Amino acid sequence: MSVAERTDASPQDALAEAPRERRWPWWLGIVALLAASAALRVWGVGQGLPYAYNADENAHFVPGAIGLFGHGYNPYYFVNPPAYTYVLHAVLAGWFGGRAGVSEAFTTDPTQVWIVARLTAAFFGTLAVGVLYLAGTRLFGRAAGLLSAATLAFAFLPVFYSHLALNDVVTLAPVALSLWGTAGIVRRGRPVDYVLAGVGLGLACATKYTGGLVALPLLTAGVIRIVEERGRRRRAFGLLVAACVVSLPAFVAANPYAILDYEGLRDGLIHQSDAAGAAMGKLGLTQTSGHLYYLWTATWGLGWVPVLAALAGAVLLARAEPKLALVLVPAPILYVIFMGDQARFFGRWLLPAFPFACLLAGFAVARLVAFAARGRPRMAPAVAALATVLLLGQGVVMSLHSGQVLANADTRNLARDWLVKNVPGGTRIVVEPVVPDAWATDIGRPYRGTRNGARWAKYATSRSNVANDGSIVPGPGRIVNIEDYERTLYPGLVDRYEQKGYCWVVTGSTQRGRAEVQPRKVPNALPYYRELERRGRLVYEASPFRRGAKPVAFNFDWTFDYYPLAYDRPGPIMRVYRLQGGKCA
């Protein structure tokens, strides 16, 4: 069978060829799906605000987009490509009326800025669902296309990360665009298909470097068409070259300083490579196999049934259309192999592979329904309904749970509200690095009793005389990031707090949890917490877990994305202690 031909004997193929008036149910279905997808991605979008508690969200794209108003369009930052930063810059400029409006809003009411940025991410997450429907429809028919899109629409990880102003979900839109173009190369080979595939590739790379995995299916589809078009091989070769060429201006248009500031780009890529390597391993990352970690991530981030259906789809496709299987199957496998070889791994890094799995899962379920329709036509509706429920059920339940959790008040906000009511301004406090610096400040109303305008005088947890190996660093000490904070703890710190009058200590389980899962790497951390509990009086606690639920052990995914049903609200377990000795007596 030629790669340019379509699989036959399937009801969805007949529907695809049906008269236009019979296609309206499918368009109604995709419109309803997009509405549901958008609703899930908007529900709880204001989580934590006015404070952005996700460290990457707080540090990267929104501050970068605002920074462009001041220093021009060179982002001076290429650890992540800047396409999403440029989009945010344009959206914020249009929404708030330019530099002055954005600056005033971010200074006096950052909530509205963060919401606009998060809604932008949610928009692209929803757009990816629609474009994947087009790709699936072109490859396998409308039924498979709708099932593929629905799988992406309800899967937990794409839904959760649509709530944050990060580039992970945004990348899914150009990835799906490139797959749509590749589907066109496979099924018909028109010039516009090559252009779509190439533009999608360039934009995906300019949004997140790992989005470049769509290059492999594009090249594979192009080579297969060159081989099969015996009489027009020169044309097919030229179109494939054109697709590769057009990806470059698409990449440069969304990342122009990749050329204008090549040194900066090179340094950013080196830093990104180091960040994923062993040199910057994270305390609390207990998993030893990245490959097993990503396979585990797929079972909850995408869902057990979609994963099994995708595997079945790969097998069925290899038997029905082996050349098309070469287009869709190798890329996600090689991606998992490559990412699993890194020393650090996080669930959201798997997202670029999700559209492939969704297409294969949609194909498998559509084939199952078509088989039932041929064998027992009366059973086909029941089979279709059951298969759809099984395919989407886990994602729907967990995404609804996610929205409910995110819509509730964050424990860090609850703890701050308690401090505002009970701890006077200007008081010296210790706050673990589970909150941004702005957390100690009344936004838009600087406190006159401190030099930096913060409500409370915070202990400098970002600098320490304790090195990562436990040795003492002379002089003013070293800068400590949130990943190494537990390495700086020892019981004697409680004495220092009391001697200097830092009588209130605020802890968060997202820090302590790192020490609890790897106590041997930080042998002084847990003794520090025990000393704090012994000498301090617990005066306030806010828990994210529902009453009676067992707390979730520290994990770089489930601790921060609140997947387990034990969660009732976002945030860590926040505790406030009042010390009793020294100047705190």
Side-chain angles (χ1 to χ4, degrees), residues 278-498:
M280 296 181 64
K282 301 184 75 168
L283 179 69
L285 189 62
T286 58
Q287 294 76 15
T288 57
S289 170
H291 305 105
L292 293 179
Y293 189 86
Y294 284 124
L295 293 177
W296 169 75
T297 296
T299 63
W300 56 269
L302 185 62
W304 274 104
V305 174
V307 168
L308 295 176
L311 293 174
V315 174
L316 290 173
L317 192 60
R319 296 182 62 182
E321 289 191 89
K323 293 176 182 177
L324 181 54
L326 286 176
V327 174
L328 290 180
V329 176
I333 294 175
L334 293 175
Y335 182 81
V336 171
I337 292 174
F338 172 76
M339 297 300 294
D341 281 336
Q342 309 305 310
R344 297 169 63 192
F345 21 89
F346 306 97
R348 61 188 171 100
W349 288 1
L350 186 60
L351 281 173
F354 274 30
F356 294 86
C358 293
L359 288 172
L360 292 170
F363 168 73
V365 174
R367 288 293 293 265
L368 172 65
V369 174
F371 178 79
R374 287 197 301 270
R376 296 187 177 182
R378 294 182 180 180
M379 294 292 293
V383 172
L386 178 60
T388 301
V389 169
L390 292 176
L391 181 67
L392 306 180
Q394 181 180 348
V396 170
V397 170
M398 301 314 299
S399 293
L400 289 173
H401 169 252
S402 174
Q404 183 180 18
V405 169
L406 296 179
N408 291 331
D410 193 290
T411 57
R412 291 158 287 199
N413 286 6
L414 295 176
R416 189 185 192 281
D417 292 343
W418 187 90
L419 288 172
V420 169
K421 295 177 182 178
N422 294 276
V423 179
T427 300
R428 294 185 173 188
I429 66 173
V430 180
V431 183
E432 289 193 329
V434 296
V435 295
D437 287 339
W439 187 85
T441 303
D442 295 331
I443 295 175
R445 293 180 289 108
Y447 183 73
R448 296 183 179 181
T450 57
R451 288 182 296 178
N452 61 359
R455 170 179 279 270
W456 306 286
K458 283 177 55 182
Y459 184 85
T461 58
S462 60
R463 185 174 291 275
S464 175
N465 289 102
V466 181
N468 282 350
D469 60 3
S471 61
I472 302 301
V473 178
R478 67 182 182 94
I479 300 297
V480 179
N481 60 42
I482 61 174
E483 299 172 3
D484 294 325
Y485 171 73
E486 294 297 307
R487 305 179 195 273
T488 69
L489 301 179
Y490 61 96
L493 277 176
V494 180
D495 293 322
R496 178 177 295 185
Y497 298 159
E498 291 183 338

Side-chain angles (χ1 to χ4, degrees), residues 42-54 57 114-115 118 160-165 402 405-410 412-413 560 562 570-571:
V42 170
W43 186 18
V45 75
Q47 57 159 318
L49 297 178
Y51 308 103
Y53 290 122
N54 181 283
E57 181 185 39
W114 287 112
I115 286 181
R118 290 175 176 179
F160 178 82
Y161 280 103
S162 293
H163 292 83
L164 297 173
S402 174
V405 169
L406 296 179
N408 291 331
D410 193 290
R412 291 158 287 199
N413 286 6
F560 297 98
Y562 319 119

Side-chain angles (χ1 to χ4, degrees), residues 505-539:
V505 182
V506 183
T507 67
S509 59
T510 48
Q511 279 296 336
R512 179 170 180 163
R514 302 169 193 253
E516 290 176 336
V517 296
Q518 289 187 308
R520 293 183 180 180
K521 288 193 174 183
V522 283
N524 294 320
L526 293 183
Y528 159 80
Y529 287 110
R530 289 193 288 268
E531 184 71 4
L532 178 61
E533 292 167 348
R534 185 180 70 84
R535 294 167 58 178
R537 178 167 55 92
L538 180 63
V539 294

Side-chain angles (χ1 to χ4, degrees), residues 81-87 202-207 248-257:
Y84 178 48
T85 302
Y86 287 132
V87 169
L203 294 179
C205 290
T207 308
L248 296 178
F251 174 80
V252 172
N255 185 6
Y257 284 87

